[in-house]
Amino acid sequence: GGGGGGGGGGGDSFSGIGGCQCAVHAAGGSVSSSPVESTLASELAAYSALQDLLSRASALADLAEISAGVTPVTNGEKFSPVEVLALHVKALDVLQAALISSQRLAEPQAARVPPNLPAEAAVHAEVTRARFARLLQTAEQVRGSLLSGNSEGGGTSDGTVCVEELLYRHALSMGREAAVDELLGKLSTSYLLYQRAKLLLLQLAQEPLVGHADRAVLSKYAAGFAWRLYEISQKQKGGPRPASEGGNA
């Protein structure tokens, strides 16, 4: 097999992030020279950044729904109610950023090239808005349960959770489960888990408090997961090789 990077532990460690803040920064696009080329390049770059943001938001929303029992747990992980709420807040944060970006690109502009971008962005905005509403409803239910004392808190002694550490732990757990499924020939499940794990790590690398050393560790694991995704795609249908940086599979 090629590249065993997605498996988990290894010799690298994640040092953790002080403050454990939730923040999302959508990447902007690069600009070219002539007016028409500049418009085309900036719009395409903005749409590409939106696609990346939507993928990361979807992975976070998937994990939040898994934690709340909305979708089946694939890797046997357990979540405390405080962790469930923290994951929902994080997913809502990133979904909101994706919604804002989608709405901006959906606004009609005379100079926009190509003309199909607003329609596609509008579809993304509608789908994102619906998922945001579902997650918000679940988050309010979990929060209400915690406030009423009907759930055990979990987390630290003061009831807080470091979302960054939670994402890192579950991303590597998904990677380990994906490796087992790949060995057992469960390629579809393995692909899904590798994809989610990679996207969670890429989102984590976007956090402003992540240091250079931690970002290097995250990039290494994300690249390992991207390689496994390529290998599985070759086994399934001979799919194209992913970008070398591991950002898109």
Side-chain angles (χ1 to χ4, degrees), residues 52-248:
D52 291 341
L53 181 58
L54 286 167
S55 295
R56 300 196 307 271
S58 178
L60 284 168
D62 287 342
L63 181 59
E65 290 176 343
I66 289 171
S67 73
V70 176
T71 55
V73 177
T74 54
N75 59 346
E77 292 286 338
K78 302 275 187 191
F79 299 85
S80 72
V82 171
E83 289 175 335
V84 173
L85 182 59
L87 288 171
H88 275 71
V89 171
K90 185 63 177 176
L92 288 168
D93 189 30
V94 184
L95 282 170
Q96 183 178 39
L99 179 58
I100 291 171
S101 295
S102 299
Q103 290 172 332
R104 184 184 68 79
L105 285 173
E107 295 173 359
Q109 296 180 16
R112 188 183 298 279
V113 182
N116 63 313
L117 282 186
E120 292 181 10
V123 172
H124 288 311
E126 192 61 33
V127 172
T128 303
R129 186 181 295 108
R131 193 161 200 191
F132 183 95
R134 292 197 301 271
L135 282 182
L136 181 60
Q137 183 178 23
T138 305
E140 289 174 344
Q141 292 172 352
V142 175
R143 180 175 178 272
S145 181
L146 283 169
L147 290 176
S148 65
N150 293 332
S151 298
E152 297 179 3
T156 62
S157 57
D158 61 355
T160 61
V161 170
C162 181
V163 179
E164 291 81 2
E165 292 287 355
L166 189 59
L167 292 177
Y168 180 72
R169 188 174 78 241
H170 284 284
L172 294 192
S173 177
M174 285 181 181
R176 287 190 291 269
E177 185 69 15
V180 172
D181 283 349
E182 184 181 2
L183 288 173
L184 294 176
K186 300 177 181 178
L187 298 185
S188 296
T189 304
S190 177
Y191 192 97
L192 175 63
L193 288 169
Y194 275 136
Q195 181 76 350
R196 284 179 178 168
K198 184 194 76 170
L199 290 169
L200 290 176
L201 292 181
L202 291 175
Q203 174 57 40
L204 189 52
Q206 298 290 318
E207 301 300 326
L209 296 181
V210 173
H212 178 73
D214 285 334
R215 192 162 284 127
V217 172
L218 295 172
S219 297
K220 176 182 176 181
Y221 283 132
F225 292 147
W227 177 257
R228 298 317 311 157
L229 287 165
Y230 165 63
E231 290 286 306
I232 292 174
S233 71
Q234 292 299 296
K235 293 176 185 177
Q236 289 179 316
K237 58 189 183 207
R241 182 169 182 164
S244 59
E245 69 270 17
N248 292 312

